[in-house]
Amino acid sequence: LMSTESNKKTVQLFYDAGNRGDMETCFGLIADDIKWTNMGTTSLSGTYSGKEELMEKLLGPLFGQLKQGIHMDVHRMVAEGDYVVAQTSGTAETLEGRAYKNSYCWIIRVVDGKLAEVTEFLDTELVASVFG
């Protein structure tokens, strides 16, 4: 059984890798059978099952509209059992040069050192206004 501390470390590694553009490490920390839910009713909302669908339907379309991905700052992490809750803020710029700054609450289930489930709460009105 992984400890809450090692689960928090896994989540921090995931954000750190994303922030330095190390997508290999970032995606390596995602379980193949991940279940990722983006809250709301935006074009990016929904539940994505498996790494392939996540890449194809959420991450690909999202990062395709951004200059350099999203830089994520972690403000707080709380862990209990398999779960880590991370309060974060993200900064990005669209290809058109528009700023995208969102605030997030991620509820992450870590299994065997990988992100197995993610539920992402964010400002959906901002998503709609920036990404349509």
Side-chain angles (χ1 to χ4, degrees):
L1 201 66
M2 304 296 270
S3 72
T4 53
E5 280 312 303
S6 66
N7 288 345
K8 281 160 98 170
K9 196 174 271 183
T10 295
V11 172
Q12 188 67 57
L13 284 171
F14 172 78
Y15 291 127
D16 289 346
N19 285 348
R20 58 171 195 271
D22 178 0
M23 290 303 138
E24 195 178 331
T25 298
C26 204
F27 296 139
L29 290 166
I30 295 175
D32 289 338
D33 61 349
I34 190 162
K35 192 173 167 216
W36 186 302
T37 302
N38 255 25
M39 301 308 289
T41 54
T42 72
S43 60
L44 299 173
S45 297
T47 297
Y48 304 91
S49 298
K51 199 189 281 198
E52 204 172 304
E53 185 177 64
L54 177 68
M55 299 287 300
E56 197 180 298
K57 297 195 174 159
L58 175 63
L59 300 181
L62 175 61
F63 287 109
Q65 298 182 65
L66 300 174
K67 282 185 181 169
Q68 287 187 308
I70 299 174
H71 188 277
M72 204 62 77
D73 288 303
V74 180
H75 304 293
R76 184 171 292 110
M77 274 199 261
V78 180
E80 184 180 71
D82 290 345
Y83 288 90
V84 177
V85 177
Q87 183 186 357
T88 70
S89 56
T91 311
E93 193 182 346
T94 67
L95 295 176
E96 295 81 40
R98 186 166 178 192
Y100 174 64
K101 294 181 178 177
N102 213 326
S103 299
Y104 307 84
C105 179
W106 304 57
I107 300 167
I108 301 161
R109 183 165 179 240
V110 180
V111 178
D112 297 329
K114 294 194 175 193
L115 280 63
E117 285 172 33
V118 173
T119 305
E120 190 181 334
F121 291 85
L122 68 171
D123 181 343
T124 52
E125 193 171 332
L126 181 63
V127 171
S129 74
V130 174
F131 299 109

